[in-house]
Amino acid sequence: MSNPIQIRLLAAPDTSALREVRLTALTEAPRAFGSSMEEEELLGLDHFLRLAEADEKSAVLGAFAEGRMVGMTCISQYGKLKARHKAFIWGVYVDPEHRGRGLARQLLQAALARAATMPGVRRVHLTAAADNTAAMALYADLGFVEYGREPDSLCVNGELIDEVLMSRVLR
């Protein structure tokens, strides 16, 4: 029998694993993220430590298999006074050998549950590359709806990529 996957908030001891998974994600799927491996590999562990340490307005959730981090997502509440009723999910990633098992769904559900604990959050946003049909189908299944499209949002190795903007009501 296989060991269950654990979805949990990250903490300081997870800093190195977070950095490793994030850099792997940026390398393996550069079209899926606004940041690049070249930029983030230059960031010190202190940057990843700040991400790993959850507070009431942001958190990183990890999926763990046999003690190893195999997936992640982040949730952050907007900081400006007029936008604090919104949060943003970003950095959704599951390593290839663990895909197809519902981990991205579990990570997103955990992020939505975390958003529900953030003071005043009523709506959650996320984005997806327009050609990432699997991600958009999952997001739609979780209640996200497209509200816009940003043409040429990303430029990856000279290729322009549109992003789909999606949102859902939290409460």
PDB file of all heavy atoms in Angstrom, residues 55-59 74-90 111 114-125 170-171:
ATOM      1  N   ASP A  55       2.164  33.661   7.574  1.00  0.00           N
ATOM      2  CA  ASP A  55       1.566  34.629   8.494  1.00  0.00           C
ATOM      3  C   ASP A  55       0.091  34.726   8.134  1.00  0.00           C
ATOM      4  O   ASP A  55      -0.396  33.961   7.311  1.00  0.00           O
ATOM      5  CB  ASP A  55       2.287  35.985   8.442  1.00  0.00           C
ATOM      6  CG  ASP A  55       2.257  36.648   7.071  1.00  0.00           C
ATOM      7  OD1 ASP A  55       1.269  36.469   6.321  1.00  0.00           O
ATOM      8  OD2 ASP A  55       3.204  37.371   6.737  1.00  0.00           O
ATOM      9  N   GLU A  56      -0.628  35.660   8.726  1.00  0.00           N
ATOM     10  CA  GLU A  56      -2.079  35.692   8.472  1.00  0.00           C
ATOM     11  C   GLU A  56      -2.427  36.138   7.064  1.00  0.00           C
ATOM     12  O   GLU A  56      -3.557  35.951   6.623  1.00  0.00           O
ATOM     13  CB  GLU A  56      -2.793  36.555   9.511  1.00  0.00           C
ATOM     14  CG  GLU A  56      -2.595  38.039   9.363  1.00  0.00           C
ATOM     15  CD  GLU A  56      -3.462  38.848  10.311  1.00  0.00           C
ATOM     16  OE1 GLU A  56      -4.101  38.264  11.194  1.00  0.00           O
ATOM     17  OE2 GLU A  56      -3.502  40.082  10.136  1.00  0.00           O
ATOM     18  N   LYS A  57      -1.459  36.683   6.305  1.00  0.00           N
ATOM     19  CA  LYS A  57      -1.760  37.185   4.965  1.00  0.00           C
ATOM     20  C   LYS A  57      -1.096  36.404   3.836  1.00  0.00           C
ATOM     21  O   LYS A  57      -1.332  36.711   2.666  1.00  0.00           O
ATOM     22  CB  LYS A  57      -1.357  38.651   4.871  1.00  0.00           C
ATOM     23  CG  LYS A  57      -2.194  39.526   5.788  1.00  0.00           C
ATOM     24  CD  LYS A  57      -1.866  40.980   5.631  1.00  0.00           C
ATOM     25  CE  LYS A  57      -2.756  41.781   6.562  1.00  0.00           C
ATOM     26  NZ  LYS A  57      -2.722  43.181   6.286  1.00  0.00           N
ATOM     27  N   SER A  58      -0.283  35.430   4.157  1.00  0.00           N
ATOM     28  CA  SER A  58       0.337  34.638   3.097  1.00  0.00           C
ATOM     29  C   SER A  58       0.805  33.302   3.645  1.00  0.00           C
ATOM     30  O   SER A  58       1.087  33.172   4.838  1.00  0.00           O
ATOM     31  CB  SER A  58       1.513  35.384   2.465  1.00  0.00           C
ATOM     32  OG  SER A  58       2.568  35.502   3.390  1.00  0.00           O
ATOM     33  N   ALA A  59       0.885  32.327   2.747  1.00  0.00           N
ATOM     34  CA  ALA A  59       1.340  31.006   3.140  1.00  0.00           C
ATOM     35  C   ALA A  59       1.763  30.234   1.903  1.00  0.00           C
ATOM     36  O   ALA A  59       1.276  30.476   0.799  1.00  0.00           O
ATOM     37  CB  ALA A  59       0.225  30.247   3.861  1.00  0.00           C
ATOM     38  N   CYS A  74       1.107  28.678  -3.411  1.00  0.00           N
ATOM     39  CA  CYS A  74       1.192  29.827  -2.515  1.00  0.00           C
ATOM     40  C   CYS A  74      -0.123  30.595  -2.555  1.00  0.00           C
ATOM     41  O   CYS A  74      -0.799  30.616  -3.588  1.00  0.00           O
ATOM     42  CB  CYS A  74       2.316  30.753  -2.946  1.00  0.00           C
ATOM     43  SG  CYS A  74       3.894  29.912  -3.233  1.00  0.00           S
ATOM     44  N   ILE A  75      -0.437  31.216  -1.443  1.00  0.00           N
ATOM     45  CA  ILE A  75      -1.626  32.073  -1.357  1.00  0.00           C
ATOM     46  C   ILE A  75      -1.219  33.347  -0.625  1.00  0.00           C
ATOM     47  O   ILE A  75      -0.545  33.277   0.399  1.00  0.00           O
ATOM     48  CB  ILE A  75      -2.812  31.364  -0.650  1.00  0.00           C
ATOM     49  CG1 ILE A  75      -4.034  32.268  -0.535  1.00  0.00           C
ATOM     50  CG2 ILE A  75      -2.445  30.827   0.705  1.00  0.00           C
ATOM     51  CD1 ILE A  75      -4.950  32.230  -1.690  1.00  0.00           C
ATOM     52  N   SER A  76      -1.588  34.482  -1.188  1.00  0.00           N
ATOM     53  CA  SER A  76      -1.249  35.772  -0.582  1.00  0.00           C
ATOM     54  C   SER A  76      -2.443  36.706  -0.659  1.00  0.00           C
ATOM     55  O   SER A  76      -3.083  36.824  -1.712  1.00  0.00           O
ATOM     56  CB  SER A  76      -0.082  36.431  -1.321  1.00  0.00           C
ATOM     57  OG  SER A  76       1.061  35.620  -1.270  1.00  0.00           O
ATOM     58  N   GLN A  77      -2.706  37.372   0.431  1.00  0.00           N
ATOM     59  CA  GLN A  77      -3.736  38.403   0.455  1.00  0.00           C
ATOM     60  C   GLN A  77      -3.126  39.684  -0.105  1.00  0.00           C
ATOM     61  O   GLN A  77      -1.972  40.012   0.187  1.00  0.00           O
ATOM     62  CB  GLN A  77      -4.228  38.629   1.885  1.00  0.00           C
ATOM     63  CG  GLN A  77      -5.375  39.605   1.993  1.00  0.00           C
ATOM     64  CD  GLN A  77      -5.908  39.710   3.431  1.00  0.00           C
ATOM     65  OE1 GLN A  77      -5.290  39.230   4.374  1.00  0.00           O
ATOM     66  NE2 GLN A  77      -7.058  40.328   3.574  1.00  0.00           N
ATOM     67  N   TYR A  78      -3.906  40.390  -0.921  1.00  0.00           N
ATOM     68  CA  TYR A  78      -3.434  41.670  -1.427  1.00  0.00           C
ATOM     69  C   TYR A  78      -3.213  42.615  -0.246  1.00  0.00           C
ATOM     70  O   TYR A  78      -3.956  42.580   0.737  1.00  0.00           O
ATOM     71  CB  TYR A  78      -4.448  42.281  -2.397  1.00  0.00           C
ATOM     72  CG  TYR A  78      -4.488  41.584  -3.750  1.00  0.00           C
ATOM     73  CD1 TYR A  78      -5.259  40.444  -3.947  1.00  0.00           C
ATOM     74  CD2 TYR A  78      -3.766  42.075  -4.828  1.00  0.00           C
ATOM     75  CE1 TYR A  78      -5.302  39.807  -5.181  1.00  0.00           C
ATOM     76  CE2 TYR A  78      -3.795  41.447  -6.065  1.00  0.00           C
ATOM     77  CZ  TYR A  78      -4.570  40.315  -6.232  1.00  0.00           C
ATOM     78  OH  TYR A  78      -4.611  39.689  -7.449  1.00  0.00           O
ATOM     79  N   GLY A  79      -2.205  43.478  -0.349  1.00  0.00           N
ATOM     80  CA  GLY A  79      -1.835  44.332   0.765  1.00  0.00           C
ATOM     81  C   GLY A  79      -2.512  45.688   0.811  1.00  0.00           C
ATOM     82  O   GLY A  79      -2.683  46.256   1.894  1.00  0.00           O
ATOM     83  N   LYS A  80      -2.890  46.217  -0.329  1.00  0.00           N
ATOM     84  CA  LYS A  80      -3.479  47.559  -0.348  1.00  0.00           C
ATOM     85  C   LYS A  80      -4.862  47.557   0.294  1.00  0.00           C
ATOM     86  O   LYS A  80      -5.627  46.611   0.134  1.00  0.00           O
ATOM     87  CB  LYS A  80      -3.590  48.067  -1.792  1.00  0.00           C
ATOM     88  CG  LYS A  80      -2.256  48.204  -2.489  1.00  0.00           C
ATOM     89  CD  LYS A  80      -1.534  49.425  -2.021  1.00  0.00           C
ATOM     90  CE  LYS A  80      -0.270  49.629  -2.826  1.00  0.00           C
ATOM     91  NZ  LYS A  80       0.476  50.785  -2.399  1.00  0.00           N
ATOM     92  N   LEU A  81      -5.174  48.603   0.987  1.00  0.00           N
ATOM     93  CA  LEU A  81      -6.418  48.722   1.743  1.00  0.00           C
ATOM     94  C   LEU A  81      -7.645  48.405   0.888  1.00  0.00           C
ATOM     95  O   LEU A  81      -8.521  47.654   1.315  1.00  0.00           O
ATOM     96  CB  LEU A  81      -6.534  50.136   2.339  1.00  0.00           C
ATOM     97  CG  LEU A  81      -7.754  50.407   3.196  1.00  0.00           C
ATOM     98  CD1 LEU A  81      -7.737  49.524   4.437  1.00  0.00           C
ATOM     99  CD2 LEU A  81      -7.798  51.876   3.601  1.00  0.00           C
ATOM    100  N   LYS A  82      -7.704  48.936  -0.320  1.00  0.00           N
ATOM    101  CA  LYS A  82      -8.883  48.752  -1.170  1.00  0.00           C
ATOM    102  C   LYS A  82      -8.925  47.382  -1.850  1.00  0.00           C
ATOM    103  O   LYS A  82      -9.914  47.054  -2.510  1.00  0.00           O
ATOM    104  CB  LYS A  82      -8.945  49.845  -2.228  1.00  0.00           C
ATOM    105  CG  LYS A  82      -9.173  51.229  -1.634  1.00  0.00           C
ATOM    106  CD  LYS A  82      -9.184  52.284  -2.725  1.00  0.00           C
ATOM    107  CE  LYS A  82      -9.374  53.668  -2.152  1.00  0.00           C
ATOM    108  NZ  LYS A  82      -9.343  54.681  -3.222  1.00  0.00           N
ATOM    109  N   ALA A  83      -7.860  46.597  -1.702  1.00  0.00           N
ATOM    110  CA  ALA A  83      -7.817  45.287  -2.362  1.00  0.00           C
ATOM    111  C   ALA A  83      -7.688  44.140  -1.366  1.00  0.00           C
ATOM    112  O   ALA A  83      -7.554  42.989  -1.782  1.00  0.00           O
ATOM    113  CB  ALA A  83      -6.658  45.248  -3.355  1.00  0.00           C
ATOM    114  N   ARG A  84      -7.765  44.417  -0.102  1.00  0.00           N
ATOM    115  CA  ARG A  84      -7.572  43.372   0.915  1.00  0.00           C
ATOM    116  C   ARG A  84      -8.690  42.337   0.956  1.00  0.00           C
ATOM    117  O   ARG A  84      -8.569  41.333   1.651  1.00  0.00           O
ATOM    118  CB  ARG A  84      -7.414  44.000   2.299  1.00  0.00           C
ATOM    119  CG  ARG A  84      -6.096  44.671   2.475  1.00  0.00           C
ATOM    120  CD  ARG A  84      -5.914  45.176   3.885  1.00  0.00           C
ATOM    121  NE  ARG A  84      -4.752  46.060   3.908  1.00  0.00           N
ATOM    122  CZ  ARG A  84      -4.590  47.037   4.756  1.00  0.00           C
ATOM    123  NH1 ARG A  84      -5.497  47.272   5.699  1.00  0.00           N
ATOM    124  NH2 ARG A  84      -3.515  47.791   4.700  1.00  0.00           N
ATOM    125  N   HIS A  85      -9.744  42.562   0.207  1.00  0.00           N
ATOM    126  CA  HIS A  85     -10.823  41.570   0.137  1.00  0.00           C
ATOM    127  C   HIS A  85     -10.496  40.462  -0.868  1.00  0.00           C
ATOM    128  O   HIS A  85     -11.288  39.559  -1.075  1.00  0.00           O
ATOM    129  CB  HIS A  85     -12.147  42.251  -0.225  1.00  0.00           C
ATOM    130  CG  HIS A  85     -12.150  42.861  -1.590  1.00  0.00           C
ATOM    131  ND1 HIS A  85     -11.464  44.006  -1.896  1.00  0.00           N
ATOM    132  CD2 HIS A  85     -12.738  42.457  -2.735  1.00  0.00           C
ATOM    133  CE1 HIS A  85     -11.629  44.300  -3.178  1.00  0.00           C
ATOM    134  NE2 HIS A  85     -12.405  43.367  -3.713  1.00  0.00           N
ATOM    135  N   LYS A  86      -9.283  40.529  -1.455  1.00  0.00           N
ATOM    136  CA  LYS A  86      -8.870  39.553  -2.460  1.00  0.00           C
ATOM    137  C   LYS A  86      -7.571  38.872  -2.044  1.00  0.00           C
ATOM    138  O   LYS A  86      -6.735  39.468  -1.363  1.00  0.00           O
ATOM    139  CB  LYS A  86      -8.643  40.240  -3.813  1.00  0.00           C
ATOM    140  CG  LYS A  86      -9.875  40.920  -4.377  1.00  0.00           C
ATOM    141  CD  LYS A  86      -9.601  41.543  -5.716  1.00  0.00           C
ATOM    142  CE  LYS A  86      -8.741  42.789  -5.577  1.00  0.00           C
ATOM    143  NZ  LYS A  86      -8.602  43.518  -6.855  1.00  0.00           N
ATOM    144  N   ALA A  87      -7.425  37.634  -2.499  1.00  0.00           N
ATOM    145  CA  ALA A  87      -6.172  36.898  -2.344  1.00  0.00           C
ATOM    146  C   ALA A  87      -5.799  36.345  -3.714  1.00  0.00           C
ATOM    147  O   ALA A  87      -6.635  36.277  -4.621  1.00  0.00           O
ATOM    148  CB  ALA A  87      -6.312  35.774  -1.326  1.00  0.00           C
ATOM    149  N   PHE A  88      -4.550  35.935  -3.855  1.00  0.00           N
ATOM    150  CA  PHE A  88      -4.023  35.474  -5.129  1.00  0.00           C
ATOM    151  C   PHE A  88      -3.293  34.150  -4.918  1.00  0.00           C
ATOM    152  O   PHE A  88      -2.423  34.056  -4.050  1.00  0.00           O
ATOM    153  CB  PHE A  88      -3.063  36.525  -5.696  1.00  0.00           C
ATOM    154  CG  PHE A  88      -2.582  36.224  -7.084  1.00  0.00           C
ATOM    155  CD1 PHE A  88      -3.405  36.442  -8.173  1.00  0.00           C
ATOM    156  CD2 PHE A  88      -1.309  35.731  -7.311  1.00  0.00           C
ATOM    157  CE1 PHE A  88      -2.976  36.160  -9.466  1.00  0.00           C
ATOM    158  CE2 PHE A  88      -0.863  35.447  -8.593  1.00  0.00           C
ATOM    159  CZ  PHE A  88      -1.697  35.672  -9.670  1.00  0.00           C
ATOM    160  N   ILE A  89      -3.667  33.144  -5.683  1.00  0.00           N
ATOM    161  CA  ILE A  89      -2.974  31.854  -5.665  1.00  0.00           C
ATOM    162  C   ILE A  89      -1.925  31.881  -6.769  1.00  0.00           C
ATOM    163  O   ILE A  89      -2.210  32.286  -7.895  1.00  0.00           O
ATOM    164  CB  ILE A  89      -3.956  30.683  -5.878  1.00  0.00           C
ATOM    165  CG1 ILE A  89      -4.880  30.549  -4.663  1.00  0.00           C
ATOM    166  CG2 ILE A  89      -3.201  29.382  -6.144  1.00  0.00           C
ATOM    167  CD1 ILE A  89      -5.973  29.507  -4.819  1.00  0.00           C
ATOM    168  N   TRP A  90      -0.732  31.444  -6.434  1.00  0.00           N
ATOM    169  CA  TRP A  90       0.350  31.432  -7.429  1.00  0.00           C
ATOM    170  C   TRP A  90       1.296  30.260  -7.141  1.00  0.00           C
ATOM    171  O   TRP A  90       1.241  29.648  -6.077  1.00  0.00           O
ATOM    172  CB  TRP A  90       1.108  32.755  -7.436  1.00  0.00           C
ATOM    173  CG  TRP A  90       1.720  33.149  -6.122  1.00  0.00           C
ATOM    174  CD1 TRP A  90       1.069  33.750  -5.068  1.00  0.00           C
ATOM    175  CD2 TRP A  90       3.062  32.959  -5.697  1.00  0.00           C
ATOM    176  NE1 TRP A  90       1.939  33.937  -4.028  1.00  0.00           N
ATOM    177  CE2 TRP A  90       3.184  33.471  -4.391  1.00  0.00           C
ATOM    178  CE3 TRP A  90       4.182  32.404  -6.301  1.00  0.00           C
ATOM    179  CZ2 TRP A  90       4.364  33.444  -3.669  1.00  0.00           C
ATOM    180  CZ3 TRP A  90       5.381  32.384  -5.591  1.00  0.00           C
ATOM    181  CH2 TRP A  90       5.457  32.906  -4.296  1.00  0.00           C
ATOM    182  N   ALA A 111      -5.254  25.820  -0.219  1.00  0.00           N
ATOM    183  CA  ALA A 111      -5.025  27.263  -0.368  1.00  0.00           C
ATOM    184  C   ALA A 111      -6.326  28.037  -0.192  1.00  0.00           C
ATOM    185  O   ALA A 111      -6.353  29.096   0.448  1.00  0.00           O
ATOM    186  CB  ALA A 111      -4.393  27.554  -1.729  1.00  0.00           C
ATOM    187  N   ARG A 114      -7.119  28.132   3.397  1.00  0.00           N
ATOM    188  CA  ARG A 114      -6.262  29.125   4.058  1.00  0.00           C
ATOM    189  C   ARG A 114      -6.774  30.533   3.773  1.00  0.00           C
ATOM    190  O   ARG A 114      -6.806  31.386   4.664  1.00  0.00           O
ATOM    191  CB  ARG A 114      -4.814  28.963   3.584  1.00  0.00           C
ATOM    192  CG  ARG A 114      -3.844  29.914   4.210  1.00  0.00           C
ATOM    193  CD  ARG A 114      -3.693  29.657   5.687  1.00  0.00           C
ATOM    194  NE  ARG A 114      -2.740  30.601   6.258  1.00  0.00           N
ATOM    195  CZ  ARG A 114      -2.212  30.479   7.446  1.00  0.00           C
ATOM    196  NH1 ARG A 114      -2.519  29.460   8.212  1.00  0.00           N
ATOM    197  NH2 ARG A 114      -1.353  31.392   7.882  1.00  0.00           N
ATOM    198  N   ALA A 115      -7.176  30.801   2.543  1.00  0.00           N
ATOM    199  CA  ALA A 115      -7.713  32.119   2.195  1.00  0.00           C
ATOM    200  C   ALA A 115      -8.931  32.451   3.045  1.00  0.00           C
ATOM    201  O   ALA A 115      -9.130  33.607   3.426  1.00  0.00           O
ATOM    202  CB  ALA A 115      -8.064  32.179   0.712  1.00  0.00           C
ATOM    203  N   ALA A 116      -9.719  31.440   3.367  1.00  0.00           N
ATOM    204  CA  ALA A 116     -10.921  31.656   4.178  1.00  0.00           C
ATOM    205  C   ALA A 116     -10.583  32.109   5.591  1.00  0.00           C
ATOM    206  O   ALA A 116     -11.435  32.675   6.279  1.00  0.00           O
ATOM    207  CB  ALA A 116     -11.764  30.377   4.220  1.00  0.00           C
ATOM    208  N   THR A 117      -9.342  31.906   6.032  1.00  0.00           N
ATOM    209  CA  THR A 117      -8.925  32.362   7.366  1.00  0.00           C
ATOM    210  C   THR A 117      -8.326  33.763   7.341  1.00  0.00           C
ATOM    211  O   THR A 117      -8.053  34.329   8.395  1.00  0.00           O
ATOM    212  CB  THR A 117      -7.883  31.396   7.992  1.00  0.00           C
ATOM    213  OG1 THR A 117      -6.636  31.528   7.306  1.00  0.00           O
ATOM    214  CG2 THR A 117      -8.378  29.961   7.972  1.00  0.00           C
ATOM    215  N   MET A 118      -8.105  34.300   6.148  1.00  0.00           N
ATOM    216  CA  MET A 118      -7.491  35.624   6.021  1.00  0.00           C
ATOM    217  C   MET A 118      -8.552  36.693   6.241  1.00  0.00           C
ATOM    218  O   MET A 118      -9.620  36.640   5.618  1.00  0.00           O
ATOM    219  CB  MET A 118      -6.832  35.779   4.649  1.00  0.00           C
ATOM    220  CG  MET A 118      -5.674  34.842   4.440  1.00  0.00           C
ATOM    221  SD  MET A 118      -5.026  34.942   2.749  1.00  0.00           S
ATOM    222  CE  MET A 118      -3.594  33.897   2.898  1.00  0.00           C
ATOM    223  N   PRO A 119      -8.268  37.642   7.100  1.00  0.00           N
ATOM    224  CA  PRO A 119      -9.275  38.660   7.450  1.00  0.00           C
ATOM    225  C   PRO A 119      -9.839  39.387   6.230  1.00  0.00           C
ATOM    226  O   PRO A 119      -9.090  39.991   5.468  1.00  0.00           O
ATOM    227  CB  PRO A 119      -8.512  39.628   8.346  1.00  0.00           C
ATOM    228  CG  PRO A 119      -7.317  38.884   8.825  1.00  0.00           C
ATOM    229  CD  PRO A 119      -6.997  37.875   7.773  1.00  0.00           C
ATOM    230  N   GLY A 120     -11.148  39.274   6.037  1.00  0.00           N
ATOM    231  CA  GLY A 120     -11.839  40.042   5.006  1.00  0.00           C
ATOM    232  C   GLY A 120     -11.776  39.495   3.594  1.00  0.00           C
ATOM    233  O   GLY A 120     -12.386  40.071   2.692  1.00  0.00           O
ATOM    234  N   VAL A 121     -11.050  38.414   3.350  1.00  0.00           N
ATOM    235  CA  VAL A 121     -10.923  37.911   1.974  1.00  0.00           C
ATOM    236  C   VAL A 121     -12.254  37.328   1.514  1.00  0.00           C
ATOM    237  O   VAL A 121     -12.846  36.485   2.179  1.00  0.00           O
ATOM    238  CB  VAL A 121      -9.790  36.861   1.851  1.00  0.00           C
ATOM    239  CG1 VAL A 121      -9.827  36.186   0.485  1.00  0.00           C
ATOM    240  CG2 VAL A 121      -8.446  37.524   2.074  1.00  0.00           C
ATOM    241  N   ARG A 122     -12.723  37.820   0.357  1.00  0.00           N
ATOM    242  CA  ARG A 122     -13.989  37.378  -0.235  1.00  0.00           C
ATOM    243  C   ARG A 122     -13.823  36.759  -1.610  1.00  0.00           C
ATOM    244  O   ARG A 122     -14.711  36.096  -2.108  1.00  0.00           O
ATOM    245  CB  ARG A 122     -14.941  38.562  -0.375  1.00  0.00           C
ATOM    246  CG  ARG A 122     -15.318  39.191   0.928  1.00  0.00           C
ATOM    247  CD  ARG A 122     -16.207  40.371   0.664  1.00  0.00           C
ATOM    248  NE  ARG A 122     -16.499  41.064   1.909  1.00  0.00           N
ATOM    249  CZ  ARG A 122     -17.221  42.152   1.980  1.00  0.00           C
ATOM    250  NH1 ARG A 122     -17.726  42.686   0.880  1.00  0.00           N
ATOM    251  NH2 ARG A 122     -17.447  42.732   3.132  1.00  0.00           N
ATOM    252  N   ARG A 123     -12.693  37.035  -2.256  1.00  0.00           N
ATOM    253  CA  ARG A 123     -12.477  36.598  -3.640  1.00  0.00           C
ATOM    254  C   ARG A 123     -11.034  36.144  -3.787  1.00  0.00           C
ATOM    255  O   ARG A 123     -10.138  36.719  -3.182  1.00  0.00           O
ATOM    256  CB  ARG A 123     -12.791  37.757  -4.591  1.00  0.00           C
ATOM    257  CG  ARG A 123     -12.678  37.394  -6.047  1.00  0.00           C
ATOM    258  CD  ARG A 123     -13.273  38.465  -6.948  1.00  0.00           C
ATOM    259  NE  ARG A 123     -14.724  38.482  -6.927  1.00  0.00           N
ATOM    260  CZ  ARG A 123     -15.510  37.658  -7.614  1.00  0.00           C
ATOM    261  NH1 ARG A 123     -14.974  36.720  -8.374  1.00  0.00           N
ATOM    262  NH2 ARG A 123     -16.812  37.758  -7.562  1.00  0.00           N
ATOM    263  N   VAL A 124     -10.838  35.119  -4.613  1.00  0.00           N
ATOM    264  CA  VAL A 124      -9.495  34.593  -4.877  1.00  0.00           C
ATOM    265  C   VAL A 124      -9.254  34.624  -6.382  1.00  0.00           C
ATOM    266  O   VAL A 124     -10.103  34.209  -7.166  1.00  0.00           O
ATOM    267  CB  VAL A 124      -9.343  33.156  -4.325  1.00  0.00           C
ATOM    268  CG1 VAL A 124      -7.961  32.612  -4.640  1.00  0.00           C
ATOM    269  CG2 VAL A 124      -9.606  33.132  -2.819  1.00  0.00           C
ATOM    270  N   HIS A 125      -8.084  35.117  -6.765  1.00  0.00           N
ATOM    271  CA  HIS A 125      -7.677  35.203  -8.164  1.00  0.00           C
ATOM    272  C   HIS A 125      -6.527  34.242  -8.429  1.00  0.00           C
ATOM    273  O   HIS A 125      -5.786  33.881  -7.509  1.00  0.00           O
ATOM    274  CB  HIS A 125      -7.194  36.612  -8.492  1.00  0.00           C
ATOM    275  CG  HIS A 125      -8.258  37.648  -8.475  1.00  0.00           C
ATOM    276  ND1 HIS A 125      -8.050  38.925  -8.931  1.00  0.00           N
ATOM    277  CD2 HIS A 125      -9.544  37.627  -8.056  1.00  0.00           C
ATOM    278  CE1 HIS A 125      -9.164  39.631  -8.803  1.00  0.00           C
ATOM    279  NE2 HIS A 125     -10.068  38.860  -8.268  1.00  0.00           N
ATOM    280  N   LEU A 170     -15.068  33.542  -2.614  1.00  0.00           N
ATOM    281  CA  LEU A 170     -14.677  32.647  -1.527  1.00  0.00           C
ATOM    282  C   LEU A 170     -15.837  32.409  -0.589  1.00  0.00           C
ATOM    283  O   LEU A 170     -16.122  31.294  -0.188  1.00  0.00           O
ATOM    284  CB  LEU A 170     -13.487  33.238  -0.762  1.00  0.00           C
ATOM    285  CG  LEU A 170     -12.863  32.357   0.299  1.00  0.00           C
ATOM    286  CD1 LEU A 170     -12.338  31.057  -0.277  1.00  0.00           C
ATOM    287  CD2 LEU A 170     -11.738  33.108   0.997  1.00  0.00           C
ATOM    288  N   ARG A 171     -16.529  33.497  -0.227  1.00  0.00           N
ATOM    289  CA  ARG A 171     -17.657  33.375   0.688  1.00  0.00           C
ATOM    290  C   ARG A 171     -18.857  34.049   0.081  1.00  0.00           C
ATOM    291  O   ARG A 171     -18.766  35.010  -0.574  1.00  0.00           O
ATOM    292  CB  ARG A 171     -17.424  34.045   2.028  1.00  0.00           C
ATOM    293  CG  ARG A 171     -16.018  34.282   2.471  1.00  0.00           C
ATOM    294  CD  ARG A 171     -15.988  34.797   3.899  1.00  0.00           C
ATOM    295  NE  ARG A 171     -14.876  34.262   4.636  1.00  0.00           N
ATOM    296  CZ  ARG A 171     -13.733  34.910   4.787  1.00  0.00           C
ATOM    297  NH1 ARG A 171     -13.559  36.074   4.267  1.00  0.00           N
ATOM    298  NH2 ARG A 171     -12.772  34.367   5.474  1.00  0.00           N
TER     299      ARG A 171
END
